[in-house]
Amino acid sequence: MSKVPYEVYTEDVEALTVLSPAGEVINKEKMPELTDDQLKEIAYRMIFTRTWDDRAVNLGRQGRLGFYAPTSGQEATMVGSEFALEKEDFVCPGYRDIPQLVWHGLPLHQAFLYSRGHQHGGEIPDDVSVLPPQIIIGAQILHATGIAMGFKLKNQKNVAITYTGDGGSSEGDFYEGLNFAGRFKLPVIFFVQNNGYAITTPFAKQTASKSIAHKAVAAGITGVKVDGMDIFAVIQAVKEAAERARNGEGPTLIEAVTYRFRPHSLSDDASKYRTKEEEGEWNEKDPIARVVKYLESKGLWSDEDTQRVKDEAKAKVNEEIKLAEKTEKMTISGLIDSMFETTPKDLEEQKADFE
């Protein structure tokens, strides 16, 4: 039996890159097949998401949203990974992964209700294949693994995808999910957005592993590392992972090396642990700038298109936040009634006490 040298596990692996920061395709073999309309839709979603994030940060500071985790800088990982899936595939998000839910079909005002702590924010429409955002770090990984097991038992050709950050890859749930999924060859994609910091802790202080992708080896599954600022690399990696899953070849761990331009949350001060030089280097890799340059070179995009999308996004966000704010206020009785199809007798008694 041949043995793989230990050095393979201790050396870093190069991340898949398709589109350079200058907007040029440098890996034609891995360029996903996309129509002009799809390319324009990708640019639309990325710019919309960045504009929505700008507005949501301001809404949070105004007290009109509750907990909100900024997303700017991670548009390639969020928009790209969802774009590579089918609508019947299941999305199991962490708390930062709101864009994936909305682009998968969740109404934007419900995303705002979730942030406001309203029960209807987690009331998912029947035709939308997502779970509510998971606030417990790593718990969503086990949920996706369970859903994937259901797909396999029912012989459905669907895929579950779940997201976490580099900090989530240090949780026990992460390893349990990978091990279980590997053992049963489940159709699940574990997508780690490695933005360099688990709140304030740099990646190098979390693990001795050279990359998160290496951690697939112990679980006996495929591990892939991609440039998370390159949406084409993300789309291609997820498409390939989904195809393997649908063909019964088991799960994939994808590490997308990315960077959040804003702090971890609205209560965080990133200047305490990140330098201006570091931020400047990553700004030059802006995922939106890459795509816009590429589309401009093909005559598919202009500054006017960018401004149009920004205007549409601002108007949509304003409309949806107003809709969320008009939703009836939560009550104890309403919360109890939403827990079960038929409210148990003991809860009916508690409800009566509150009323």
Side-chain angles (χ1 to χ4, degrees):
M1 180 182 294
S2 62
K3 295 183 178 180
V4 179
Y6 176 70
E7 288 75 14
V8 170
Y9 308 135
T10 57
E11 294 178 0
D12 201 357
V13 292
E14 185 176 353
L16 170 65
T17 300
V18 175
L19 191 67
S20 74
E24 300 172 347
V25 175
I26 57 176
N27 190 344
K28 293 182 179 180
E29 182 181 343
K30 289 294 185 178
M31 177 67 183
E33 294 183 8
L34 298 165
T35 66
D36 288 350
D37 286 342
Q38 287 176 319
L39 288 170
K40 289 188 284 187
E41 178 64 18
I42 286 169
Y44 178 93
R45 293 186 181 190
M46 294 177 77
I47 295 168
F48 188 107
T49 301
R50 177 75 60 88
T51 308
W52 156 21
D53 186 58
D54 292 341
R55 183 73 177 117
V57 168
N58 289 333
L59 290 170
R61 289 170 175 160
Q62 293 169 14
R64 297 171 69 184
L65 289 181
F67 175 78
Y68 180 75
T71 62
S72 288
Q74 296 186 207
E75 293 87 0
T77 59
M78 294 175 164
V79 173
S81 59
E82 192 283 327
F83 195 85
L85 300 173
E86 303 295 334
K87 285 300 179 184
E88 294 75 20
D89 294 330
F90 227 97
V91 177
C92 303
Y95 54 77
R96 195 181 305 275
D97 304 304
I98 309 301
Q100 297 96 303
L101 300 186
V102 171
W103 294 122
H104 212 61
L106 183 72
L108 182 54
H109 75 274
Q110 282 194 254
F112 289 146
L113 285 174
Y114 162 78
S115 178
R116 291 164 66 89
H118 198 291
Q119 68 197 65
H120 291 321
E123 189 176 0
I124 309 298
D126 291 340
D127 61 344
V128 180
S129 299
V130 305
L131 290 183
Q134 178 55 253
I135 199 71
I136 301 172
I137 308 297
Q140 66 272 21
I141 294 168
L142 300 182
H143 300 161
T145 301
I147 289 171
M149 175 62 95
F151 287 154
K152 182 166 185 174
L153 292 175
K154 294 179 179 180
N155 292 316
Q156 292 180 227
K157 294 297 183 180
N158 299 117
V159 174
I161 187 169
T162 185
Y163 300 87
T164 191
D166 42 305
S169 71
S170 297
E171 293 290 329
D173 288 352
F174 175 81
Y175 295 97
E176 291 175 19
L178 263 63
N179 184 66
F180 191 90
R183 166 61 184 84
F184 292 100
K185 298 182 77 68
L186 301 182
V188 57
I189 301 170
F190 302 102
F191 195 101
V192 180
Q193 300 173 91
N194 183 355
N195 58 33
Y197 295 88
I199 307 183
T200 61
T201 304
F203 177 69
K205 291 188 176 181
Q206 293 181 59
T207 178
S209 180
K210 290 296 183 181
S211 77
I212 293 171
H214 279 75
K215 299 188 178 189
V217 175
I221 67 176
T222 301
V224 178
K225 186 176 182 181
V226 302
D227 179 351
M229 308 298 270
D230 175 2
I231 194 166
F232 295 151
V234 171
I235 290 174
Q236 184 64 22
V238 175
K239 278 186 175 293
E240 291 179 0
E243 183 177 1
R244 285 192 295 270
R246 297 187 212 282
N247 291 338
E249 298 173 32
T252 300
L253 169 62
I254 298 177
E255 175 189 7
V257 182
T258 184
Y259 198 79
R260 50 175 168 78
F261 291 153
R262 287 196 165 101
H264 173 79
S265 68
L266 300 187
S267 60
D268 178 34
D269 181 2
S271 67
K272 300 291 186 182
Y273 54 90
R274 299 196 316 200
T275 66
K276 290 293 184 182
E277 291 75 17
E278 175 185 295
E279 292 177 351
E281 291 175 2
W282 282 97
N283 281 329
E284 294 178 1
K285 302 176 183 179
D286 191 316
I288 294 179
R290 283 189 186 188
V291 168
V292 168
K293 289 175 185 176
Y294 176 70
L295 266 64
E296 286 177 342
S297 71
K298 293 174 64 68
L300 298 174
W301 204 260
S302 66
D303 290 342
E304 289 74 18
D305 290 313
T306 295
Q307 189 58 51
R308 171 180 56 82
V309 177
K310 288 181 177 180
D311 292 341
E312 289 182 16
K314 290 176 183 177
K316 183 65 173 177
V317 169
N318 288 339
E319 175 187 334
E320 296 290 317
I321 189 62
K322 289 177 182 177
L323 185 59
E325 290 173 335
K326 290 180 180 177
T327 303
E328 72 275 15
K329 294 185 181 299
M330 288 179 60
T331 63
I332 296 296
S333 298
L335 181 60
I336 291 175
D337 286 337
S338 70
M339 294 172 65
F340 297 92
E341 184 175 4
T342 301
T343 306
K345 181 179 179 181
D346 60 329
L347 288 181
E348 286 286 3
E349 293 173 353
Q350 290 184 38
K351 187 171 71 172
D353 290 339
F354 282 113
E355 291 176 343

